[in-house]
Amino acid sequence: MEIGNEETTVHDALSLTYEEWRKLVVEDWKEPRFRADQICGWIYAKKVFDCHGMTNLSKTLRDKMIYESLVKLPIQIKELKSKDGTRKYLWRFEDGSRVESVLLDHGNHTTACISSQAGCPLGCVFCATGQGGFVRNLTAGEIVGQFLLMEQRLGKNIDNVVFMGMGEPLLNDVNVFKSIRALNHPKMRNLGARHITVSTSGIVPGIRDFADFEVPVRLSVSLHAPNDALRGKLMPVNKRYSLVALVEAMRYYQDRTGERITIEYVLIDGLNDDPQLAFEMAALLNGLGVYVNVIPCNPVDASATGNGAMRNSLKRPAEARIKAFCSALAELSIEFEVRREKGADILAACGQLAGATK
Ligand code: SAH
Ligand code: SF4
């Protein structure tokens, strides 16, 4: 992406791919190729974003960088720390839009949960982001910037990244794919493809493009219900892409990549937690290699979610109900785990990100 006026083109540095850096350095700046590697090393490995600090570059090159490129980092508005070690960041971009990211500490490894859109247009009834409406797609640089700044704050490398923050990544696939290329490229952040997961609410064409994408990252599908009637009530996106089309796209992904797919299933009291639905889900996903993440519904600000009667019924099921649903999965020999909420005390758990200071 380019910003600037007729005289100079100012490149948005964090949105550049490795190939774009190479082209810029060699063709425009008339420098040897290895300079691109050095610049990427400073930004992605050392987290040095100001070219004055890039000490092995010549003064002439640094001057060109000052005039013709700009590292536009998100501005940190807030950092909240949970008692379980989770950290939540609220960022602001130059146009004033805000997103949140979460850094999860699992003891022996860390996971960054990043946002791909400011808001989300899909309006799932149980999700604070969806109920807040849509602002805009993030640029690749704004996506990468969240990760790099959290890594800088942490002071060591983050092990995994999940696109499970605000927004629907496959409605912003061009920029999301670009950000993945940067995170994965050996000369940039060099994060292994298997350490990157994209979660989607079921954007069928996006899943197909994702299956054909050259970096074999992991796919997670937010299912939440095994039939169209129920899923349509919880997730308006189901009216656009039905379960038949979604499952077909998942098969395409699995045929192309051979990768197991994670199914996310938010368990909501009395709505989708009947063990019978686990049997229905098994029938729907028959023949696919899946791993189910059962997520007991996290509370979100009541005024922000659902509508009318639906709003009051979005509760986490009692432990016995959660167990009954899981027993059905076990009986069906479906591998699963119950995702225990992290960071709920700072509203950093799944579905709680609203892009506001709380
Ligand atoms: N838009 C993408 C990615 C972001 S949401 C998607 O929907 O997959 C990440 C996960 O959090 C999704 O599985 C989503 O369904 C889940 N989630 C949303 N609201 C939740 C809530 N209140 N409790 C638990 N999980 C929730
Ligand atoms: Fe958007 Fe995902 Fe939230 Fe649904 S769950 S509203 S798709 S962010």
Side-chain angles (χ1 to χ4, degrees):
M1 187 211 265
E2 292 171 353
I3 46 179
N5 55 35
E6 302 88 288
E7 292 126 45
T8 22
T9 302
V10 180
H11 298 270
D12 173 7
L14 294 184
S15 287
L16 297 177
T17 60
Y18 179 68
E19 291 67 30
E20 287 167 338
W21 270 118
R22 279 271 283 258
K23 192 166 173 286
L24 183 63
V25 163
V26 175
E27 292 178 18
D28 296 8
W29 295 345
K30 312 287 180 228
E31 293 275 343
R33 292 161 166 201
F34 74 90
R35 293 288 184 210
D37 298 9
Q38 287 179 322
I39 295 169
C40 291
W42 282 112
I43 295 175
Y44 286 89
K46 302 196 186 96
K47 318 290 174 308
V48 171
F49 305 118
D50 181 347
C51 55
H52 293 294
M54 302 182 182
T55 47
N56 57 359
L57 305 183
S58 67
K59 167 98 175 51
T60 346
L61 176 55
R62 280 189 265 161
D63 282 347
K64 284 180 199 152
M65 286 181 74
I66 290 169
Y67 283 110
E68 294 178 35
S69 70
L70 186 62
V71 176
K72 294 195 286 175
L73 290 164
I75 295 158
Q76 182 183 315
I77 299 183
K78 205 158 199 173
E79 179 187 33
L80 295 172
K81 286 190 185 145
S82 158
K83 47 184 190 278
D84 65 21
T86 305
R87 301 187 205 186
K88 179 168 90 163
Y89 293 89
L90 174 65
W91 314 108
R92 189 176 68 85
F93 299 112
E94 57 186 349
D95 68 342
S97 36
R98 297 163 170 211
V99 299
E100 291 175 327
S101 322
V102 180
L103 186 54
L104 297 141
D105 182 357
H106 302 287
N108 54 354
H109 66 277
T110 46
T111 300
C113 175
I114 57 175
S115 296
S116 54
Q117 298 182 313
C120 178
L122 296 181
C124 301
V125 294
F126 44 79
C127 172
T129 307
Q131 295 303 314
F134 177 62
V135 182
R136 67 169 174 87
N137 279 337
L138 300 192
T139 64
E142 288 168 340
I143 297 170
V144 166
Q146 298 166 54
F147 179 88
L148 293 179
L149 280 186
M150 284 197 285
E151 202 157 63
Q152 190 191 52
R153 306 286 190 268
L154 184 66
K156 60 174 185 180
N157 280 358
I158 293 171
D159 303 291
N160 303 295
V161 63
V162 293
F163 286 78
M164 292 187 187
M166 297 171 67
E168 168 49 56
L170 296 184
L171 286 181
N172 184 19
D173 50 354
V174 171
N175 293 336
V176 165
F177 291 175
K178 229 177 167 194
S179 69
I180 292 173
R181 283 191 190 101
L183 292 173
N184 175 249
H185 197 286
K187 301 282 189 191
M188 297 177 94
R189 177 50 184 79
N190 196 22
L191 182 67
R194 307 187 71 78
H195 295 268
I196 305 173
T197 302
V198 169
S199 174
T200 180
S201 59
I203 305 297
V204 166
I207 295 175
R208 288 175 176 275
D209 291 346
F210 188 72
D212 297 329
F213 179 47
E214 74 271 14
V215 187
V217 292
R218 292 173 182 267
L219 176 68
S220 192
V221 174
S222 298
L223 192 70
H224 310 323
N227 61 65
D228 286 318
L230 181 56
R231 195 167 189 267
K233 271 195 223 162
L234 302 175
M235 307 175 73
V237 68
N238 197 80
K239 293 177 187 120
R240 187 142 49 119
Y241 303 113
S242 70
L243 279 170
V244 171
L246 175 56
V247 170
E248 230 174 77
M250 285 161 68
R251 278 192 215 291
Y252 179 75
Y253 169 85
Q254 202 146 66
D255 287 347
R256 291 290 305 221
T257 64
E259 292 287 342
R260 197 153 70 147
I261 299 170
T262 299
I263 301 293
E264 286 160 281
Y265 197 101
V266 173
L267 219 47
I268 310 168
D269 186 41
L271 266 180
N272 66 351
D273 61 344
D274 187 329
Q276 191 52 40
L277 295 173
F279 290 94
E280 219 180 303
M281 174 159 66
L284 177 76
L285 302 177
N286 188 28
L288 278 170
V290 297
Y291 178 84
V292 178
N293 246 323
V294 177
I295 316 166
C297 184
N298 292 311
V300 289
D301 184 353
S303 63
T305 47
N307 41 43
M310 179 73 87
R311 179 187 301 166
N312 302 318
S313 55
L314 300 168
K315 294 196 187 88
R316 175 197 173 95
E319 282 305 310
R321 290 288 285 179
I322 300 174
K323 271 206 185 113
F325 190 84
C326 291
S327 303
L329 292 175
E331 205 178 306
L332 288 155
S333 306
I334 296 180
E335 274 190 72
F336 70 94
E337 80 177 330
V338 179
R339 197 193 287 167
R340 293 293 159 191
E341 78 271 26
K342 291 201 110 223
D345 55 331
I346 53 166
L347 292 179
C350 299
Q352 294 184 319
L353 304 184
T357 1
K358 294 266 168 146

